[in-house]
Amino acid sequence: MEGTIRCSANYVPLTPISFLERSAVVYRERLSLVYGDHVKFTWQQTRDRSVKLASSLVTRFQISHGDVVAVLAPNIPEMYELHFAVPMAGSVLCNLNIRHPSKMVSTLLKHSNAKLIFVDYEFVHIAKGAIEIISRSTSSVPQLILISDSSKLSVPPTPDILDYESLLEMGSLDFEIRRPKDECDPIAVNYTSGTTSSPKGVVCNHRGAYLNSLAVVLLNEMPSMPVHLWVVPMFHCNGWCMIWGMAAQGGTNVCLRKVTAKGIFESISRHKVTHMGGAPTILNMIVNAPASERIPLPGKVVVKTGGAPPPSQVVFSMEKLGFDVYHSYGLTETYGPGIVCTWKPEWDSLPLETRAKIKSRQGLNHIGMEEVDVKDPVTMKSVPWDAKTMGEVMFRGNTVMNGYLKDTKATQDAFKDGWFRSGDLGVRHSDGYIELKDRSKDIIISGGENISTIEVESVLFRHQAVLEAAVVGRPDDHWGETPCAFVKLKEGYKLDGDDIIAYCRDNLPHYMAPRTVVFEELPKTSTGKIQKFVLREKAKALGNDLAKGKSKL
Amino acid sequence: MEGTIRCSANYVPLTPISFLERSAVVYRERLSLVYGDHVKFTWQQTRDRSVKLASSLVTRFQISHGDVVAVLAPNIPEMYELHFAVPMAGSVLCNLNIRHPSKMVSTLLKHSNAKLIFVDYEFVHIAKGAIEIISRSTSSVPQLILISDSSKLSVPPTPDILDYESLLEMGSLDFEIRRPKDECDPIAVNYTSGTTSSPKGVVCNHRGAYLNSLAVVLLNEMPSMPVHLWVVPMFHCNGWCMIWGMAAQGGTNVCLRKVTAKGIFESISRHKVTHMGGAPTILNMIVNAPASERIPLPGKVVVKTGGAPPPSQVVFSMEKLGFDVYHSYGLTETYGPGIVCTWKPEWDSLPLETRAKIKSRQGLNHIGMEEVDVKDPVTMKSVPWDAKTMGEVMFRGNTVMNGYLKDTKATQDAFKDGWFRSGDLGVRHSDGYIELKDRSKDIIISGGENISTIEVESVLFRHQAVLEAAVVGRPDDHWGETPCAFVKLKEGYKLDGDDIIAYCRDNLPHYMAPRTVVFEELPKTSTGKIQKFVLREKAKALGNDLAKGKSKL
């Protein structure tokens, strides 16, 4: 309109860097990070340390716009700072999974073309192994920077490797922060977590990170100055965007190197934690903690869960302990949480079972995600809201990734017809809420019937003896596939496969009940997701189920 | 980065329209609007009604991208709907102040080139008068559309004027919403409220509206599904952006045509209001309500106040009644609230007086505003954080206006050196918090000393007999200016000017105490701000204060 101007007074590219800059003033003297007995920082310190580190990256390593800086570290203060320092240097943070072996780390370092890798002391052998592998084929290897554990004052700096603190101390506070020129410039590359066997490099941008951070603050009903316990790995979707969200709200981040039920209860009690997050397996760990490790909560603790639908028994038990569980769902491609099961007060008076069923639904798009729908992936028609018709869950919005690094084909496939295709299958209930039924590659097709492995698993979880369970398809000449359950029992319980099968047949249509039950420890990703591709391999190795299976129907 | 794409799957222009689209699904059956005894809408209805109205605007009036649609209405459901329907038609909403006379309305309609004007039945005579004035000089007059009061079922439609409901009913739900092509496209023109005598057309855009709405939700610590009582006029900075913010959070809007203490208490009690807003004059009205009109609050009510610093006595009294007062500050040019006095828990234990002093500070930028500073307007140097050195409050960020409509010169002046210059004078305390001292044009310069009229007023407010007070400069041949107080006493109190002057001299440096006291009703804008320019004219008319003034120092 006539008379108006766009200039630096009224247009600033969106970036989570702004959250830290603001909190460094508004919450300057308040605690940003606490870790162990010795480490405490204020928001002003966190900002200043991030700026100094950014300055060192630029002056010592000539890091320039768009360069990739990798990190291999658990939930420690340095990992938090790197999420600001690396973008402040104009560069892109590549979060590596601390469970990866050297081989995988070398693949990802090469793929992302990382110039530097920051490595926590516990994982130096992995990083060194990876660099050794890379050096066999090229002379351009990433520079390793060691993060000594700042909580252990006795760890001496290693003379032959540059140390995080030394590098930071070389930095200058006069450094001019390199904000993104375009807010859609990349801020991070996160490799998909490995529920499939081939990680892809998901590129996220400043705008999406800014918007998803505010969305996760809002969907967690997080007021200003919360106290957040770090259980969700920070390397996983940048801690479900809560790293940046906490800077927005000026809260206190409680870091935890190793996740144990004891550590969780102690941290909550000691720091008066108000918020935390964790996959259902973490919730399971909490509710099954021995009485000796439990400490009564100092107040209400809001827990966001996701990554897999939380079994209703686990939700009940958590709420009995005083936790308030929010269930959200998303993917690395949606910056972590993309939809949330918004709880309505009118549901409070429903019977326990009904409430748990609703809570295990994935729900609807949060405020940062423009649209979510369940569609036929071929015709792109929306499925009816009948709680039955399955389709693929698809997203549109500013909190969907830029694409897959160096894989235009995969990006185009993922964005076909203008929607991001999640690969997850779900239905819509009459109120519009989405319920996931399965990953499209996890679903079992048996005798022409679709079997939702999630549905079978949720029945297994209701059995009092079952600690963990996962169901995959086992090849079958007659049926195509039959359900095969992998189960871990709680301590002190003894059951055999037939007990489990009989129980499932009592609670499910017969064709959905497992035909095979294997008792064992379940393989998981570092974010607590069960690695179904590993189980599928095992089920395949069991061979054809024909003889045994047929007699049971 | 290689492999990435920008497309409709991962980029959507930011607009508050998205809030309504989402709430229409997530909160579909929940109440969006209640008004009087008969009017209730759900979020799905509000969305559908807005879409139908937008469709009618396009098909019946050929409203096209960027056209201006004006509205003259109090806080009624139609006013709320228009804040979505007009942008959905791709057009720009021009909010008119319901206290303006026909002459001013005609000026603003002409200046904004409004194609249509929606008018509440109570203000039809004003609008008709304005159109009559316009028709004298041109044949292109805006079309008038009547809003009958939907709460009064008996009001018959007027046959000669097109009616809001009839127009809406002609609309189609199949209408394709016209989202902004560029998120910096204008969404509204709001004329400055008239604390100065010449309103300017402040152009706001979709991006700023989106971001400021989320910021006001966060600064009010507003959870999802709040119940908001409409006391702040919706025409004032789009209800401080809370119109859109409420759609983001899926809350219930309680509409109120006339603001009275009785109406406020009744609405809070009846609808279990959780949030409201109001200028300090409204807070004053609440705390001075007769006991017969007071109803105990059903729960904690969060009140955001702004427009002027809330006197500490008023804050105390509000908190005693169970209100939780947040103080924020901004201008029409910053979409309403731009900074907020974030309250720190460590202040809870401070003495009452200290707490009130802190609470009356304006604070620091909220999450949507990039930066705020207090600067020397000539050198652009930041003032020291000494609580003494005055400078001009300046803003930078996405929640600063596009500029002044058809006034490039004023826009350029306002954005000189890349900062929006507020025209307000303030200091910074040692913790960075900003405290306003005065509008640059309100400050009194007496014998070379700057006198903050806000400081003098806050002393006046502490006097138990004073209901309202405002201080302006009175011309003086010797001193240049001297402070002149306009005061309204509470009922039942009798004081004369000398009592007030003596009291002020006991509580202020002598040069700051008023030399003249006038007892009268204070002139206010419709948003409850005192019109100091009117008082300055009155003070000028009192003539030179020389003879009386000199003897008193």
Side-chain angles (χ1 to χ4, degrees):
Chain A
M1 283 177 118
E2 195 197 326
T4 66
I5 302 172
R6 191 186 294 190
C7 65
S8 68
N10 64 9
Y11 187 89
V12 179
L14 298 176
T15 166
I17 295 170
S18 300
F19 298 151
L20 181 56
E21 289 280 65
R22 176 176 167 272
S23 282
V25 183
V26 177
Y27 305 107
R28 51 195 300 105
E29 302 293 348
R30 292 188 63 85
L31 287 181
S32 54
L33 287 158
V34 297
Y35 175 45
D37 292 326
H38 302 296
V39 183
K40 276 185 185 174
F41 294 112
T42 65
W43 280 107
Q44 191 178 7
Q45 287 173 324
T46 296
R47 184 263 178 198
D48 287 353
R49 286 173 58 86
S50 301
V51 171
K52 285 171 79 172
L53 189 59
S55 128
S56 286
L57 290 177
V58 170
T59 55
R60 300 278 304 179
F61 296 106
Q62 291 75 50
I63 289 297
S64 57
H65 271 288
D67 278 350
V68 172
V69 174
V71 60
L72 187 66
N75 289 350
I76 52 175
E78 292 83 353
M79 180 69 171
Y80 191 89
E81 292 167 349
L82 282 164
H83 274 79
F84 292 95
V86 172
M88 280 174 167
S91 48
V92 181
L93 185 69
C94 175
N95 287 299
L96 297 173
N97 190 318
I98 54 175
R99 299 236 186 143
H100 283 326
S102 292
K103 180 80 191 73
M104 177 64 90
V105 169
S106 74
T107 305
L108 303 183
L109 287 175
K110 270 200 283 188
H111 185 263
S112 64
N113 195 25
K115 297 275 182 296
L116 300 175
I117 177 169
F118 285 88
V119 185
D120 176 78
Y121 77 97
E122 228 189 314
F123 303 92
V124 168
H125 62 290
I126 302 286
K128 282 189 168 169
I131 289 171
E132 207 276 312
I133 295 170
I134 297 171
S135 67
R136 284 178 212 158
S137 60
T138 168
S139 64
S140 107
V141 295
Q143 164 90 41
L144 190 153
I145 298 155
L146 172 71
I147 308 173
S148 313
D149 192 327
S150 48
S151 79
K152 292 189 180 149
L153 299 176
S154 59
V155 174
T158 321
D160 60 325
I161 305 182
L162 187 58
D163 175 79
Y164 182 96
E165 279 299 315
S166 313
L167 184 64
L168 192 153
E169 280 312 315
M170 292 170 197
S172 160
L173 268 177
D174 293 333
F175 176 70
E176 195 180 334
I177 296 167
R178 295 178 171 175
R179 288 162 162 281
K181 285 173 192 139
D182 178 330
E183 63 195 26
C184 293
D185 283 350
I187 189 171
V189 180
N190 298 313
Y191 285 89
T192 50
S193 70
T195 48
T196 68
S197 53
S198 58
K200 282 184 284 212
V202 173
V203 179
C204 301
N205 69 41
H206 287 261
R207 174 182 169 97
Y210 181 102
L211 294 170
N212 211 56
S213 299
L214 293 188
V216 293
V217 162
L218 288 167
L219 74 84
N220 282 292
E221 307 281 8
M222 191 179 253
S224 57
M225 297 169 272
V227 181
H228 184 261
L229 176 63
W230 276 102
V231 173
V232 173
M234 293 190 193
F235 63 75
H236 187 209
C237 312
N238 313 103
W240 296 354
C241 276
M242 199 45 95
I243 293 183
W244 298 312
M246 283 297 288
Q249 289 298 74
T252 301
N253 293 281
V254 180
C255 294
L256 201 59
R257 172 175 286 272
K258 294 237 181 306
V259 175
T260 61
K262 190 162 177 279
I264 290 173
F265 277 109
E266 281 177 359
S267 298
I268 291 174
S269 170
R270 179 173 174 190
H271 300 290
K272 298 197 170 39
V273 166
T274 59
H275 291 75
M276 59 174 281
T281 45
I282 299 286
L283 274 44
N284 212 17
M285 181 204 269
I286 292 173
V287 300
N288 287 304
S292 63
E293 291 182 356
R294 287 194 196 172
I295 305 173
L297 306 186
K300 181 65 86 185
V301 179
V302 173
V303 181
K304 58 187 178 309
T305 192
S312 49
Q313 296 310 113
V314 175
V315 172
F316 290 156
S317 308
M318 284 294 284
E319 299 203 333
K320 254 190 242 159
L321 290 175
F323 293 93
D324 207 355
V325 179
Y326 285 76
H327 176 210
S328 62
Y329 153 77
L331 306 94
T332 305
E333 288 88 339
T334 61
Y335 294 69
I339 74 177
V340 57
C341 182
T342 300
W343 191 256
K344 311 268 177 77
E346 54 267 34
W347 294 336
D348 286 341
S349 55
L350 293 175
L352 204 68
E353 267 304 318
T354 317
R355 278 192 283 136
K357 267 191 187 152
I358 296 175
K359 196 152 259 187
S360 70
R361 288 175 193 159
Q362 282 67 25
L364 289 164
N365 51 320
H366 63 47
I367 198 83
M369 179 63 76
E370 190 63 25
E371 218 176 336
V372 66
D373 200 1
V374 179
K375 288 170 170 285
D376 180 308
V378 177
T379 65
M380 290 303 279
K381 270 186 70 173
S382 301
V383 301
W385 295 9
D386 60 5
K388 279 182 198 161
T389 314
M390 265 203 252
E392 186 172 355
V393 179
M394 301 192 187
F395 297 90
R396 278 182 61 237
N398 295 302
T399 56
V400 168
M401 64 166 180
N402 287 19
Y404 297 113
L405 184 62
K406 299 180 187 168
D407 198 344
T408 310
K409 173 70 174 58
T411 304
Q412 282 166 342
D413 288 350
F415 291 163
K416 196 160 159 270
D417 300 313
W419 288 77
F420 167 64
R421 291 145 179 266
S422 70
D424 284 325
L425 302 177
V427 299
R428 292 192 81 164
H429 287 270
S430 59
D431 59 1
Y433 276 46
I434 290 170
E435 184 179 349
L436 283 203
K437 289 298 181 181
D438 229 326
R439 290 288 302 170
S440 50
K441 60 186 156 305
D442 287 347
I443 201 136
I444 299 170
I445 304 174
S446 188
E449 294 280 1
N450 284 344
I451 300 175
S452 154
T453 60
I454 292 177
E455 266 177 61
V456 183
E457 288 157 10
S458 77
V459 166
L460 286 168
F461 265 111
R462 288 213 294 275
H463 194 294
Q464 58 169 0
V466 172
L467 182 68
E468 292 174 350
V471 175
V472 298
R474 176 178 175 186
D476 183 286
D477 284 347
H478 183 77
W479 300 106
E481 291 181 299
T482 59
C484 173
F486 290 80
V487 172
K488 184 183 174 185
L489 295 179
K490 290 181 188 167
E491 255 179 75
Y493 282 94
K494 285 228 164 69
L495 285 177
D496 67 17
D498 285 339
D499 298 332
I500 296 284
I501 292 169
Y503 161 79
C504 287
R505 290 168 73 99
D506 286 348
N507 289 280
L508 283 168
H510 283 194
Y511 74 95
M512 289 178 73
R515 302 290 199 86
T516 323
V517 180
V518 181
F519 295 96
E520 62 162 54
E521 194 76 37
L522 302 188
K524 295 197 200 94
T525 69
S526 59
T527 59
K529 285 192 195 177
I530 290 160
Q531 291 175 300
K532 284 205 171 173
F533 71 94
V534 174
L535 298 179
R536 260 194 298 275
E537 288 305 313
K538 290 194 179 184
K540 212 187 259 176
L542 291 175
N544 199 309
D545 186 33
L546 187 63
K548 187 182 172 195
K550 248 180 163 175
S551 62
K552 287 232 173 166
L553 268 188
Chain B
M1 285 177 116
E2 195 196 326
T4 66
I5 301 172
R6 192 185 295 192
C7 65
S8 68
N10 65 10
Y11 188 90
V12 180
L14 299 176
T15 165
I17 295 170
S18 300
F19 298 151
L20 180 56
E21 289 281 66
R22 175 175 169 271
S23 283
V25 183
V26 178
Y27 305 106
R28 51 198 296 106
E29 302 294 349
R30 293 189 62 86
L31 287 182
S32 54
L33 286 157
V34 298
Y35 176 45
D37 293 326
H38 303 295
V39 183
K40 276 185 184 172
F41 294 112
T42 65
W43 279 108
Q44 191 178 9
Q45 287 173 323
T46 296
R47 186 261 176 198
D48 288 353
R49 286 172 58 85
S50 301
V51 171
K52 285 170 80 173
L53 189 60
S55 129
S56 286
L57 290 177
V58 170
T59 56
R60 301 277 304 177
F61 297 106
Q62 290 74 50
I63 289 296
S64 56
H65 271 289
D67 279 350
V68 172
V69 174
V71 60
L72 187 66
N75 289 351
I76 54 174
E78 292 84 351
M79 180 69 171
Y80 191 90
E81 292 166 351
L82 282 164
H83 274 79
F84 292 96
V86 171
M88 280 174 166
S91 47
V92 181
L93 185 67
C94 175
N95 287 299
L96 297 172
N97 190 320
I98 55 175
R99 299 235 185 143
H100 283 325
S102 293
K103 181 80 191 73
M104 178 62 90
V105 170
S106 74
T107 304
L108 303 183
L109 289 174
K110 272 200 284 189
H111 185 262
S112 64
N113 196 24
K115 297 275 181 300
L116 300 175
I117 177 168
F118 285 90
V119 186
D120 176 79
Y121 78 97
E122 228 189 314
F123 303 92
V124 168
H125 61 291
I126 301 285
K128 281 189 167 168
I131 289 170
E132 208 276 311
I133 294 170
I134 297 172
S135 68
R136 284 178 213 158
S137 59
T138 169
S139 62
S140 107
V141 296
Q143 164 90 41
L144 191 152
I145 298 156
L146 173 72
I147 308 173
S148 314
D149 191 327
S150 49
S151 78
K152 292 189 181 149
L153 299 175
S154 58
V155 174
T158 321
D160 60 325
I161 307 184
L162 186 57
D163 176 78
Y164 182 96
E165 280 298 315
S166 314
L167 185 65
L168 191 153
E169 280 311 317
M170 293 170 196
S172 159
L173 267 178
D174 294 332
F175 175 70
E176 196 181 332
I177 296 167
R178 293 178 170 174
R179 288 162 164 279
K181 284 171 194 140
D182 179 328
E183 63 194 26
C184 294
D185 283 350
I187 189 170
V189 180
N190 298 314
Y191 284 89
T192 51
S193 69
T195 46
T196 68
S197 52
S198 57
K200 283 185 284 214
V202 173
V203 179
C204 300
N205 69 42
H206 287 262
R207 174 183 169 96
Y210 181 101
L211 294 171
N212 211 56
S213 300
L214 293 189
V216 294
V217 163
L218 287 168
L219 75 84
N220 283 292
E221 308 281 6
M222 192 180 252
S224 58
M225 297 169 273
V227 181
H228 184 260
L229 176 63
W230 276 103
V231 173
V232 173
M234 292 189 192
F235 62 76
H236 186 208
C237 312
N238 312 104
W240 296 355
C241 276
M242 200 44 97
I243 293 183
W244 298 313
M246 283 296 288
Q249 289 298 73
T252 300
N253 294 281
V254 180
C255 294
L256 201 60
R257 172 175 286 272
K258 292 235 183 307
V259 174
T260 61
K262 190 162 177 280
I264 290 173
F265 278 109
E266 280 176 1
S267 298
I268 291 174
S269 169
R270 180 172 173 192
H271 300 290
K272 299 198 169 37
V273 166
T274 59
H275 291 74
M276 58 174 282
T281 45
I282 299 285
L283 273 44
N284 211 18
M285 180 204 267
I286 291 173
V287 300
N288 287 303
S292 63
E293 292 182 355
R294 287 193 196 173
I295 305 174
L297 305 186
K300 181 66 84 185
V301 179
V302 173
V303 181
K304 58 186 176 309
T305 192
S312 50
Q313 297 309 113
V314 174
V315 172
F316 290 155
S317 308
M318 285 293 284
E319 300 203 332
K320 254 190 242 161
L321 289 174
F323 293 93
D324 208 353
V325 179
Y326 284 75
H327 176 209
S328 63
Y329 154 77
L331 305 96
T332 306
E333 288 87 339
T334 61
Y335 294 70
I339 72 177
V340 58
C341 181
T342 300
W343 190 256
K344 311 268 177 77
E346 53 266 34
W347 295 337
D348 285 342
S349 55
L350 294 174
L352 204 69
E353 267 305 318
T354 317
R355 278 192 283 136
K357 265 190 190 154
I358 295 175
K359 195 153 257 186
S360 70
R361 290 175 192 161
Q362 281 67 25
L364 287 164
N365 50 321
H366 62 47
I367 197 84
M369 178 65 75
E370 190 62 26
E371 216 177 336
V372 67
D373 200 1
V374 179
K375 287 170 171 285
D376 180 308
V378 177
T379 65
M380 291 303 279
K381 270 187 69 173
S382 301
V383 301
W385 295 10
D386 60 4
K388 279 183 196 159
T389 314
M390 266 203 252
E392 186 172 355
V393 179
M394 302 192 188
F395 297 90
R396 278 182 62 236
N398 295 301
T399 57
V400 168
M401 64 165 181
N402 287 18
Y404 298 113
L405 183 61
K406 297 179 187 168
D407 197 344
T408 310
K409 173 70 174 59
T411 304
Q412 282 166 341
D413 288 349
F415 290 163
K416 197 160 160 271
D417 301 313
W419 288 78
F420 167 63
R421 291 145 180 267
S422 71
D424 284 325
L425 302 178
V427 298
R428 291 192 84 163
H429 286 271
S430 58
D431 60 0
Y433 275 45
I434 290 170
E435 183 180 349
L436 283 202
K437 288 298 181 180
D438 228 327
R439 290 288 300 168
S440 48
K441 58 185 158 304
D442 287 347
I443 201 137
I444 299 170
I445 303 174
S446 187
E449 294 279 2
N450 284 344
I451 300 175
S452 154
T453 60
I454 292 176
E455 268 180 58
V456 183
E457 287 157 11
S458 76
V459 166
L460 286 168
F461 264 110
R462 287 212 294 274
H463 194 294
Q464 58 168 2
V466 172
L467 183 67
E468 292 174 349
V471 175
V472 298
R474 176 179 175 184
D476 183 287
D477 283 346
H478 183 75
W479 300 105
E481 291 181 299
T482 59
C484 171
F486 290 80
V487 172
K488 186 183 173 185
L489 295 178
K490 290 180 187 166
E491 255 179 75
Y493 283 94
K494 283 226 167 71
L495 284 176
D496 66 18
D498 286 339
D499 297 332
I500 296 284
I501 291 170
Y503 162 78
C504 286
R505 290 169 72 100
D506 285 347
N507 289 280
L508 282 169
H510 284 194
Y511 74 94
M512 289 178 73
R515 303 289 199 86
T516 323
V517 179
V518 180
F519 294 96
E520 62 163 56
E521 193 76 38
L522 303 188
K524 296 195 199 92
T525 70
S526 59
T527 58
K529 285 193 198 175
I530 290 160
Q531 292 173 301
K532 284 206 171 172
F533 72 95
V534 175
L535 297 179
R536 261 194 297 275
E537 288 306 312
K538 288 194 181 185
K540 212 187 258 177
L542 290 174
N544 198 310
D545 185 31
L546 186 62
K548 187 180 171 196
K550 250 185 164 171
S551 63
K552 286 232 171 162
L553 269 191

